[in-house]
Every structure is written in structure tokens, then in C-alpha cells.
Amino acid sequence: MSSNFPPNFEQKLGFDVIRQILNDYCLSTLGRIWVMKMAFSADAAEIHTALLQTSEMKAILQFEEKFPSQDYYDMIPELLRIRIPGTYMEAEQLSELKLSVSTISELLSFIADRSEKFPALYALACDSGEHATGYSPLATSSMLRSIVAQVDRILDDKSEVRDSASQELNRIRKDKASLQSSVEHKIIQSFKVARQNGWIPEDAEVTIRNGRLVIPMISTHKRKIQGFVHDESATGHTVYIEPAEIFETNNEIRELDYAERREIVRILIEFAKTVRPEIDMLIHAYHFLGKIDFVRAKARFAISVNATNPIHHPRSPHDPEQHSFFWHKAIHPLLFLSHQKQKKEIMPLDIALNPGQRILIISGPNAGGKSVCLKTVGLVQYMFQCGLLPPVKEDSEFCIFHKIFIDIGDEQSIDNDLSTYSSKLINLKYFIENIDAYSLFLIDEMGTGTDPSLGGAIAEATLEALNDKRAMGVVTTHYSNLKLLAASEQGIVNGAMLYDLKKLKPLFQLKIGKPGSSFALEIAHEIGFPGDVLAKAKLKTGKSQLDFDRELQNLEVEKQEITQKNTELQVADDFLAELIHKYEKLNADLESKKKEIIEKARHEARQLLDNSNKIIEKTIKDIRESQAEKARTKEIRVELSEIKEKLLQEPKSEIQHATGNVQSVKPGNPPPAVIKPGLVGSEAKPHRFQSYFDDLHTKLTNFSLTLDLRGNRVDEALSILQRYIDDAILCSVSEVQILHGKGNGVLRQVTRDYLRSQKEVKSVRDAPLEGGGAGITVVSFRM
């Protein structure tokens, strides 16, 4: 049985705020019921199913169109009420039944049509249909559509019962309309007479009182028209009279009103009787609607905080030492949403716990992020075990705990006469008595609230006891003895919240492996604390301790900077090597293209000369026919042959010049022709090559070896991918990476299907596990 401590656990971590956000995202009371019922679970299968459903719904909201998202009415109370024979729904509720049943039908069809893409949601649809009623989702959808059709035969678009709902209703309404027309005609005539005689107030019109048409008359003239007074004005100046001649007709209309209502009730009772055998099926369908609404709300929240479906595995009940987790770029979701509104960045958290480092002791300056780090661990883990996608990178790994214990904030109580430290001791006592190897504990500012030496000793002994129980936990502290405990106690490790001493500000980064300093004196100096007081404090503290803390922190910050510089240098080195390879490939391609251009020019020249020969042959023929001398004809042939050989040599010279192979100018030789805008033929070719080189240079300069497709719809992603692969081939890149994420695999499948269809692509494979695994596709090209 899973349990968490303390009783106000969710309020302590802020999960109650997340629950309210989900509640607001829901479209119906049905979904809000599921939000209220959402609870922490240690069942691996249950968590896996919930996460997969939410992940699939997230993909639907991001990449699919026409997902039904309206008319999520809860009709279960009405359905339960009409179980009793003789009961019925009013027209308004019947209209809501039609709309919501239509929505359920559309949802079932939508999911059934995409069963292979969204298997978890399809299983949910089957559970609400097949397991409950014996019908598949599509069959259930068909039954629901038949109910919609029945309601359509009864109600019109205004949610009123149609005249055609029954023959009797049609007759009643026709009779009623005829009588109403007669009444209107008669009262208008009476009104005209009264107006002509000045018996009615100025600007008065025929009106209605007690459901009857009446004439407003000045009270002094009320006896001028025989009839019945239904009302009078507040001043008594005006009375409202129903003429006697229409009284009986109005009574007949009233009788028809009663008859109309009885017929409508009969029609509604008949419908209820028809639908009554399907009530159980309908109730299951509405449970499905509520669950879909709930999953949709979770997916919307996941999108808002960039949550993903990470790697997760159950904790082995037989070997708890196999238990571990690693989170990459985890964020506190509520802090992220708050910073997002303020357009501020949030520093993500990388953290790992495993049998070798079960307990993490985080130290560092106040306001440096220790408590936020602690709450992030608790909230994100709790979200995960409540079936919410956690805000981490997809390559993060989660495990399952049976219990989570937290000691965060001040729990002093005036009623129980408890101090802050007393309440903390009570919490620690509860931890020691109830924590086991399947527990996670989080303790903020451990040991504070009493004498440092005694508080530190109790805190140290408590951590040793919790470590002996093989539990996992995160603790924040300023106590040096707890920092030293990690050096002697196996399973406990230090962590530091980094602080930039040069800029005197926290970096909000967790570094596991080294303890952190509180930087109390530096922070006091930064806020303007009296200098003479700080000087005395330094003497009392001891220079060795201050230097140790300062140098330890400086070394860690400098190490980070060196690591960053090494990464940048490696990237630059790889990019330079890639550019050299591209240049060599480009040079080889240009040599090949130059030969093609020369050969093409020669071919065009030969074609031109062949065409010229035909003209010459015709000329010779004309000469021959004109009785010209044979000697002259031969002479003309020789001249033409010489011209042909000369022209064949000229294209080669011009092409060499156009492709950049400019020959040196020797004395006596004319300089090469000047290239000018507007030239055509072979003289224009240098311009075309320059444009090609400029475009290629721009692409090479701006080309990235990684393409991020996450967050795009499938059609948008495919268009971006096509352009990117074209550029990669043009730039002669040997290998690129496509970042599409894991998710439900839709974007990954589309990406790989397209890549495999390209003949220039040599291979498609997953990135190494440490480099992103199945969330990244590595593409190699044929060189």
C-alpha cells in the first residue's frame, strides 16, 4: 500500500496548484471528477498506461486535426433518473444528450481510425465499449449515431420538439395556429376601434397578460369594450382588457396548449422507453468521455511545460539494489510557467540517484536554489507516479517508489506548543520508523532550529539510520559535518549549488560530487552589511575555512568554464574538418562539371557547323546547277573546312576562360576579354559560376549538422526535412542528425520513411543511447 507524508503533502509541493490547472483545462464535470480522483500510484503497469495515453493525446493535439473538443456534457445523472419507467428527459436535456452522444461517437471513430498510431487510447476506447457492452468502438459509435438520429427526429435545431414528431402533435399545432390567427385578427380590429375613439393611451400597443392578448385602455373608458380585465398599471391609469368576443377562443387555445404538452410528454416518454435498454452502454460511454477529457487536460498541461514520456521501469521487489534514476534537464513546472510569463529563463536540473549514491546532500548559499532543487525532485516524481508526463528530457530514466516523505517548511504549532525544531524532530522520528528500501525522502535545511553542534549530530545520526534502510533521498543543509559525512559513509554523496564569486551571484546549477559553501560573508558584503562587523566575523571564522570554501567553489566554476571551452573547441574543430572535406568534394565536383561544360560546348559547336554545312552544301548545289566551274566549287569546300577547324578550337579556349582556367598573357598576345554584365553565350558563363559559388558559400556557412523537428506538425516537419536534406546533399555533407524525439513515434516514422525513399541516403540509424537514442536519427549520405 503506497502512502506519502505529511498529510498536506500536495500543498507542500504545490501539486494542488497543478490539480487546479488540470481542472481548468477540463471541458466537463466528468473530466474534473477524474482530476479529483487522480492519485499517487506505485503500480508500474498503471503508471505506464496513464503516461502512454497522455503521450498519445499530446501528439493528437500537436499534430492531428479535427479532434472533437466540444459538447462534453455529463448526462449520467439524467440517464440514471430515467431508469424508472414513465420518466423522461425534457427537450433541453435531450438536446444535450444528442450533442454529447454525437461527440462520443466522433471520438470513438477518430480513435478507431487511428488505432495503430494511438494504441493506448484505442485500448481505452475498447475498455469503455467492448469490455463493458460487448461492442467494438466502431460498433458502439454506430449505436450512438442511431440514438442521435432518433433525437433528430424529435428535436429541431432550436432544441424544440418538431411538429413532425407525431401526427397528433402536428394536428394540435395546426388547430392552435388557426385559432391564434383568428384571435389576432379580432383583437386588432377591436384595438383599431379603441384607438379611433381615443380610449387607449398614446403609443400603446396590443400586449400580453396572463398568456392572453389584451388591449391597454385608459381606465375611464374600460367599459367602452365588453371584456375581462386581466391587469392594471401601477398608477391605475391603464387597464388591460381581453375582449369578450375572443375569450372563448382563447380558452380553446389554452386547452390546445395542455393537449400539446401532453403529446410532447408522451413523445419524450416513448423515447426514454426506447433508450432505456441502452442506459448501461451510455453510462460507460460517458465514463469514456470523462476519461478522454481528463487525458486531454493532462496532455495540454504537458505541452505547456514541455513534458515528455521518459524511460521508466519498475523497482524490482526482489533486488532493490537495482533501483536507480537519472533525470536530464528536469524543471519545476510551476516555476517554469511563472518565469515564462515574466519572460525569464529557468535553470534545468540534472540529477541521478543509484545504489552507489542513494542520498544526496546539497549545500550552497541561501537563495542559491537548494530548496527549489529539493521541491523539483519531489514534485516531478509525484507527477510521474500520478500519471502525468514529467517536465524532463526524453532520455531521462524514472523508477517507482512506494512512499515519498518530505520535511519542507515550518511546521511549528501554537495549539500543540511545538517549536520549528520540535516539529522537525517529530518528522524525522516518523521517517526513521516508516521508511524502507522502496522510499524516497526529501528534507530541507536538515538539523536547523537548535544548537548547531547538537542539531548537526542528530542530523548526521538520522542520515546514517536512513542510509542503513537503503532508502533514497535528497537533503539540503549548511552543516559542515553533514558535508563530511559523504566522505566516510558509503551511499551518501555531496552536491553543490554553484556560486559565481566574480559576479557575486548564484548560478542555480547543481554539481554532484563536491560540497558547496554557504558564502555567508560574501552575500552579507553584497547586501551592504557593515564592513567592520564582517571583518570581525572573518577573524572569528578563521582564514583557512574561508579560503577552503572559496577555492573549492572557484575550482568548480573554473572547471565548468574549461569544460565549456573544450566543448566549443571540439565543435569548431569538427566543423573545420567538415568544411575542408566539403571544399575538397566541391573542388572535385567543379573539375567534373568543367569537363562536362567543355564537352557540351564542343557538341553545340559541332551541331552549329553541321547546320552550316547543310547550308553550304545547298549553296554548292545551287552553284553546280548554275553551271559554275568545278575548280571554284572545290576551292569553296577547302575554305569551309578551314573555317570549321578554327571554330572547333575557339569554344575550348572560351570555356577554359569561363571556368576559371585563365591562361597567362604572353607578350604580343591580346589580354583576355573583359567580362561585363549582359553578355550572352560563353561570355556570360563566368557570371553564372560566380552566382553558384556565392549561393553555395552561403549554404555552407549557415548549414547546421543537426535539424530539430520537435514541435512541428507532421506536414510542416516533412517540408522542413525535404529542404534540409536537399541542402545537405548540395553541400556534400557526409552525415547529419535529425532530432524528432521519441513521443509516440509518429514524427520518427514519417522522418525515416522519407529518408529511406531518397537514393542519396546511404543509411538511417538511431543515435547512440548516450547521444539521444531513438529520439535522434543519424543520416549518412552516399559520397
Side-chain angles (χ1 to χ4, degrees), residues 63-312:
F63 305 117
E64 297 287 338
E65 296 180 352
K66 299 180 180 179
F67 181 78
S69 298
Q70 61 182 11
D71 299 325
Y72 281 48
Y73 298 110
D74 178 9
M75 302 307 297
I76 292 179
E78 284 294 310
L79 291 170
L80 292 174
R81 189 178 61 78
I82 66 169
R83 279 186 185 275
I84 302 171
T87 55
Y88 59 92
M89 292 185 190
E90 292 291 352
E92 182 180 353
Q93 285 71 44
L94 199 59
S95 176
E96 291 181 352
L97 178 74
K98 182 192 81 170
L99 293 172
S100 52
V101 164
S102 180
T103 294
I104 298 171
S105 175
E106 291 171 8
L107 284 169
L108 290 170
S109 297
F110 182 95
I111 294 171
D113 291 343
R114 298 162 178 79
S115 59
E116 294 184 359
K117 290 171 65 176
F118 308 118
L121 292 177
Y122 182 70
L124 176 61
C126 288
D127 184 56
S128 294
E130 184 176 2
H131 295 173
T133 63
Y135 293 97
S136 68
L138 283 177
T140 303
S141 176
S142 177
M143 290 178 62
L144 295 175
R145 285 197 299 271
S146 71
I147 292 175
V148 171
Q150 291 181 57
V151 178
D152 272 335
R153 286 193 290 271
I154 297 173
L155 300 183
D156 60 17
D157 294 338
K158 297 179 181 179
S159 301
E160 296 177 353
V161 177
R162 298 177 185 272
D163 295 350
S164 58
S166 74
Q167 291 182 354
E168 178 63 13
L169 182 62
N170 190 35
R171 182 194 65 76
I172 291 171
R173 286 182 173 174
K174 283 183 177 179
D175 292 346
K176 182 179 172 182
S178 177
L179 291 175
Q180 285 174 334
S181 177
S182 173
V183 167
E184 289 173 5
H185 176 74
K186 290 178 181 179
I187 201 167
I188 288 173
Q189 293 299 319
S190 297
F191 180 78
K192 286 181 179 179
V193 171
R195 170 166 283 178
Q196 290 170 357
N197 288 283
W199 299 339
I200 65 174
E202 188 176 354
D203 297 328
E205 297 291 342
V206 173
T207 186
I208 296 177
R209 288 293 186 273
N210 300 324
R212 305 241 185 170
L213 288 172
V214 294
I215 299 173
M217 296 186 64
I218 299 172
S219 59
T220 56
H221 300 297
K222 63 182 179 181
R223 300 190 184 280
K224 298 293 178 65
I225 292 180
Q226 187 178 1
F228 301 90
V229 177
H230 281 272
D231 198 3
E232 68 177 7
S233 64
T235 61
H237 179 69
T238 304
V239 295
Y240 298 91
I241 296 175
E242 178 186 14
E245 59 182 322
I246 66 170
F247 181 76
E248 288 302 325
T249 308
N250 274 332
N251 283 342
E252 291 180 36
I253 292 173
R254 181 62 61 89
E255 287 297 326
L256 288 174
D257 285 339
Y258 295 144
E260 179 184 22
R261 177 59 186 167
R262 287 194 298 271
E263 180 60 17
I264 288 174
V265 169
R266 187 195 67 79
I267 292 169
L268 296 178
I269 288 174
E270 282 300 313
F271 172 78
K273 182 179 179 182
T274 302
V275 82
R276 193 165 289 121
E278 310 297 340
I279 284 180
D280 286 339
M281 180 273 292
L282 286 170
I283 289 175
H284 283 293
Y286 277 98
H287 283 309
F288 165 73
L289 180 64
K291 191 62 179 290
I292 284 292
D293 190 18
F294 172 55
V295 174
R296 178 183 173 277
K298 292 197 296 180
R300 285 193 60 188
F301 181 72
I303 293 171
S304 72
V305 297
N306 300 321
T308 64
N309 191 7
I311 302 167
H312 45 91

Side-chain angles (χ1 to χ4, degrees), residues 613-684:
N613 280 342
K614 291 178 182 179
I615 298 173
I616 293 170
E617 290 294 338
K618 184 177 183 301
T619 304
I620 294 173
K621 179 181 178 183
D622 292 341
I623 294 172
R624 187 177 295 123
E625 290 175 352
S626 301
Q627 304 301 318
E629 294 181 356
K630 292 184 178 180
R632 178 57 183 159
T633 301
K634 183 176 181 182
E635 184 178 330
I636 290 172
R637 285 180 177 275
V638 172
E639 289 175 359
L640 289 173
S641 179
E642 290 175 355
I643 292 171
K644 179 178 180 180
E645 290 299 319
K646 184 178 179 180
L647 289 173
L648 282 173
Q649 293 302 318
E650 285 179 0
K652 178 179 181 181
S653 176
E654 289 184 11
I655 295 300
Q656 288 175 335
H657 179 73
T659 55
N661 187 15
V662 182
Q663 298 176 353
S664 61
V665 180
K666 297 181 180 180
N669 289 345
V674 178
I675 305 302
K676 298 179 181 179
L679 298 178
V680 296
S682 62
E683 291 179 335

Side-chain angles (χ1 to χ4, degrees), residues 368-439:
K370 298 191 304 297
S371 295
V372 171
C373 178
L374 191 78
K375 290 181 179 179
T376 300
V377 173
L379 183 56
V380 171
Q381 182 66 37
Y382 191 72
M383 285 175 60
F384 169 77
Q385 292 194 232
C386 284
L388 293 174
L389 294 178
V392 297
K393 288 297 182 181
E394 286 180 325
D395 58 350
S396 300
E397 296 186 25
F398 277 70
C399 57
I400 295 173
F401 296 97
H402 291 180
K403 306 173 185 177
I404 302 179
F405 300 79
I406 61 171
D407 180 14
I408 299 173
D410 188 354
E411 291 293 339
Q412 62 179 320
S413 171
I414 297 177
D415 294 338
N416 296 324
D417 197 26
L418 289 177
S419 67
T420 299
Y421 186 65
S422 296
S423 68
K424 283 186 172 292
L425 283 179
I426 291 173
N427 288 346
L428 293 180
K429 174 179 177 290
Y430 185 88
F431 286 14
I432 294 171
E433 292 174 348
N434 292 277
I435 277 177
D436 57 24
Y438 301 94
S439 303

Side-chain angles (χ1 to χ4, degrees), residues 725-745:
I725 294 301
D726 288 343
D727 287 347
I729 294 170
L730 178 62
C731 296
S732 303
V733 176
S734 61
E735 187 174 277
V736 297
Q737 292 188 346
I738 311 297
L739 178 56
H740 43 64
K742 297 175 184 175
N744 59 8

